[in-house]
């Protein structure tokens, strides 16, 4: 092919390339190792022809470089136009988390007791059988000790079946007077349903001092329920039995939904059962080395989920563990 014809053809192919890939093809076709121009250069015998062909090669390379720059700029323009980035637009709001309802209630409970001068005791989820049963004077044959009720890690170690274990651990490591609450996760071999779960939160309240009586317990519980459920609440106690308290009571609070006139939540009695309590049995003090002649105390335990369910009208305990944000985000 005549060099002039070749140049016209190559220049028009370079102009016509509309993408970087097409331009690459053009370069291979006209300047590549097997191109007509390279073969002509290899075959050249005289200086004049050689100079002319080299000049042609340089012109074509320059044209390709120019075209490549044009294509790159056009591509960039197009990208900018497509993305339309406006740095002044506000971004998408980042969703903010919140504390789980049970955490909110646990902290509220802690605040109420801290306000009374109590200490928050951080207990252990793995405890000795001694702390969970023996020291609490639980009868060796008591059904709560059974492996079908309690999770045993070995013969002497269990997953805390109740926060009462923390009473013992606290008393073992301190001398009275003691005023503390121990909130924490407990474990029992329960099949999950609307009101049972193999894991649940409790808190234990323990006061040990000189001259503590059942009246102190009653006053403390009343203060607590009024702080939690409203200042009109009343508390009543019924006699009961627990191995580690004497006397033992169960306490009810006036229904905060109907105010005592009767509704579904209080089973039309006007009262809601809340939990067990009592004056610490002298045998417990003897077990941990306190002198029961000098010291007396009271203890009670409450389920944190039960408080949450009652206060917010939640019918199913499992809602706390399923972590459905549509439920949790309401609190
Ligand atoms: Zn009611």
């Amino acid at each position: 092919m005549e060099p002039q014809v070749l140049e016209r053809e190559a220049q028009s192919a370079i102009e016509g390339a509309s993408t970087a890939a097409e331009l690459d093809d053009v370069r291979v076709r006209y300047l590549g190792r097997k191109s007509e121009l390279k073969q002509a250069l290899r075959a050249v015998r005289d200086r004049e022809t050689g100079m002319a062909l080299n000049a042609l090669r340089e012109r074509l390379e320059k044209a390709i470089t120019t075209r490549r720059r044009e294509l790159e700029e056009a591509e960039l323009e197009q990208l900018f136009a497509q993305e339309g980035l406006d740095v002044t637009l506000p971004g998408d709001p980042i969703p903010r988390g919140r504390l789980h309802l049970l955490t909110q209630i646990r902290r509220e409970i802690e605040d109420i007791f801290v306000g009374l001068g109590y200490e928050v005791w951080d207990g252990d989820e793995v405890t000795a059988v001694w702390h969970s049963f023996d020291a609490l004077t639980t009868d060796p044959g008591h059904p709560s000790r059974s492996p079908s009720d309690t999770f045993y890690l070995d013969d002497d170690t269990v997953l805390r079946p109740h926060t009462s274990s923390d009473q013992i651990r606290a008393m073992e490591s301190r001398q009275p007077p003691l005023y503390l609450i121990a909130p924490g996760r407990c474990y029992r071999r329960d099949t999950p349903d609307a009101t049972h779960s193999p894991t649940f939160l409790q808190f234990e309240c323990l006061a040990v001092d000189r001259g503590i009586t059942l009246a102190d317990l009653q006053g403390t519980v009343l203060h607590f329920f009024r702080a939690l459920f409203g200042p009109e609440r009343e508390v009543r106690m019924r006699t009961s039995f627990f191995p580690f308290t004497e006397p033992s009571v169960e306490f009810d609070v006036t229904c905060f939904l109907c105010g005592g006139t009767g509704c579904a939540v209080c089973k039309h009695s006007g009262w809601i059962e809340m939990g067990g309590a009592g004056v610490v049995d002298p045998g417990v003090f003897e077990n941990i080395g306190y002198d029961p002649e000098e010291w007396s105390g009271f203890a009670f335990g409450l389920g944190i989920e039960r408080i949450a369910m009652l206060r917010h009208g939640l019918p199913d305990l499992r809602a706390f563990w399923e972590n459905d944000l549509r439920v949790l985000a309401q609190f």
Side-chain angles (χ1 to χ4, degrees), residues 1-311:
M1 201 187 285
E2 282 293 310
Q4 291 89 337
V5 179
L6 180 72
E7 180 166 13
R8 261 203 310 279
E9 198 185 286
Q11 289 286 11
S12 108
I14 291 166
E15 283 301 310
S18 59
T19 67
E22 274 177 39
L23 188 62
D24 252 358
D25 288 344
V26 171
R27 188 187 53 76
V28 169
R29 183 156 14 112
Y30 291 100
L31 293 169
R33 253 178 342 110
K34 290 177 181 167
S35 63
E36 200 176 323
L37 183 56
K38 278 289 161 77
Q39 282 171 0
L41 272 165
R42 251 176 257 133
V44 84
R45 289 292 173 262
D46 62 292
R47 188 168 177 275
E48 205 176 323
T49 314
M51 281 174 68
L53 288 178
N54 262 323
L56 170 58
R57 183 180 56 82
E58 273 168 29
R59 284 197 298 280
L60 291 183
E61 277 173 357
K62 208 174 157 199
I64 285 173
T65 305
T66 307
R67 183 66 187 146
R68 178 167 292 133
R69 204 165 294 141
E70 282 169 12
L71 288 174
E72 282 169 359
E73 274 167 21
E75 222 167 278
L76 213 57
E77 285 293 324
Q78 205 187 353
L79 204 66
F80 283 154
Q82 271 173 7
E83 301 213 329
L85 185 67
D86 180 353
V87 294
T88 65
L89 280 175
D92 290 331
I94 296 166
R96 293 186 65 180
R98 67 184 73 209
L99 293 175
H100 194 285
L101 175 61
L102 294 177
T103 307
Q104 293 177 35
I105 290 186
R106 176 175 59 76
R107 289 194 180 178
E108 212 177 307
I109 292 167
E110 289 173 2
D111 283 349
I112 293 170
F113 281 97
V114 166
L116 290 173
Y118 280 63
E119 170 189 352
V120 178
W121 176 272
D122 194 14
D124 297 272
E125 292 182 31
V126 174
T127 71
V129 170
W130 163 258
H131 295 116
S132 293
F133 298 115
D134 296 325
L136 290 161
T137 66
T138 308
D139 193 78
H142 197 275
S144 65
R145 285 176 176 260
S146 152
S148 63
D149 269 38
T150 292
F151 288 101
Y152 279 79
L153 298 179
D154 59 39
D155 286 349
D156 303 315
T157 320
V158 294
L159 289 180
R160 177 169 60 195
H162 46 199
T163 44
S164 305
S165 319
D166 297 314
Q167 286 183 33
I168 303 300
R169 295 180 79 119
M171 287 192 284
E172 274 181 347
S173 62
R174 298 281 186 83
Q175 285 303 308
L178 278 181
Y179 291 87
L180 60 89
I181 65 160
R185 193 180 299 287
C186 304
Y187 300 87
R188 255 177 236 168
R189 285 191 180 276
D190 269 328
T191 306
D193 64 23
T195 54
H196 295 86
S197 165
T199 170
F200 50 95
L201 295 167
Q202 271 191 345
F203 78 93
E204 192 81 3
C205 175
L206 173 71
V208 181
D209 209 333
R210 292 183 179 88
I212 284 191
T213 68
L214 198 62
D216 298 307
L217 168 63
Q218 190 158 17
T220 304
V221 168
L222 183 63
H223 172 85
F224 171 69
F225 281 120
R226 286 183 172 175
L228 202 63
F229 292 130
E232 313 83 29
R233 299 285 72 80
E234 294 297 337
V235 168
R236 75 174 180 192
M237 291 184 168
R238 293 172 285 117
T239 54
S240 183
F241 173 79
F242 302 108
F244 38 95
T245 47
E246 181 56 43
S248 300
V249 294
E250 281 186 68
F251 45 86
D252 306 332
V253 63
T254 46
C255 181
F256 42 84
L257 286 175
C258 63
T261 55
C263 69
V265 169
C266 59
K267 299 183 187 110
H268 302 284
S269 70
W271 294 92
I272 297 174
E273 292 178 21
M274 286 310 302
V279 171
V280 180
D281 192 293
V284 174
F285 283 157
E286 278 164 13
N287 280 338
I288 47 95
Y290 287 1
D291 178 1
E293 297 296 319
E294 183 178 4
W295 302 105
S296 59
F298 66 76
F300 65 90
L302 279 170
I304 294 178
E305 287 89 350
R306 181 162 167 73
I307 291 171
M309 288 167 79
L310 284 169
R311 199 167 75 171

